[in-house]
Amino acid sequence: MLGEKLTKLTSYQPFFAMILATAAMLSLGKTAAQAETLDAEFVLNKLTAEQRGSYLAGVVEGLAFSRFLQDRPDESGMTCIYDWQSSNLADAGKLEQVHAWLARHSDKTVGVLLYTLIKKDCGE
């Protein structure tokens, strides 16, 4: 059932891409012009805690959906990524570990860094 809904949503990808791009520009405000510097250092040091949480959740959402598209109709990889998000981004202690990981690799993009962490638990 979830697979059917997600498959239907994929037909609207250009529309959602426009919405996400607009939302990103609005949420980042004046910093949107600096999108080329959107690495871990920028996310940790320039975004507010609320913006950072939303950005990290968005990256994980993208990784989960990408995993679903790769594995469909099997949803176990996507579910594992959502479970990782629930256990690592919702827990303050584990979130600090994620932030420490990002700080250690501040010149890399957040998507690559989160993918590396998630891959340990959920495979490729």
Side-chain angles (χ1 to χ4, degrees):
M1 179 149 158
L2 178 60
E4 293 173 6
K5 290 180 183 179
L6 290 174
T7 303
K8 183 176 180 179
L9 287 175
T10 59
S11 65
Y12 300 108
Q13 282 179 332
F15 176 71
F16 286 117
M18 290 186 331
I19 289 174
L20 289 174
T22 303
M25 287 193 300
L26 291 175
S27 70
L28 294 176
K30 293 180 182 177
T31 60
Q34 301 172 0
E36 70 276 358
T37 63
L38 197 56
D39 54 16
E41 180 179 3
F42 179 85
V43 171
L44 289 174
N45 298 321
K46 303 287 185 189
L47 299 183
T48 65
E50 184 178 310
Q51 289 172 330
R52 188 178 322 114
S54 296
Y55 184 77
L56 293 176
V59 169
V60 173
E61 177 72 27
L63 291 170
F65 186 66
S66 175
R67 182 67 179 270
F68 168 74
L69 291 177
Q70 175 185 317
D71 297 346
R72 68 179 155 189
D74 183 13
E75 297 177 7
S76 60
M78 178 184 68
T79 303
C80 180
I81 293 172
Y82 284 133
D83 291 344
W84 182 93
Q85 179 181 22
S86 297
S87 66
N88 287 279
L89 298 184
D91 179 277
K94 289 183 178 179
L95 182 59
E96 285 304 316
Q97 291 175 340
V98 171
H99 287 171
W101 171 255
L102 296 177
R104 263 187 305 226
H105 305 285
S106 60
D107 61 326
K108 306 288 190 252
T109 61
V110 175
V112 170
L113 296 172
L114 287 180
Y115 170 78
T116 303
L117 291 176
I118 292 170
K119 185 171 77 167
K120 292 177 184 178
D121 293 337
C122 300
E124 292 189 50

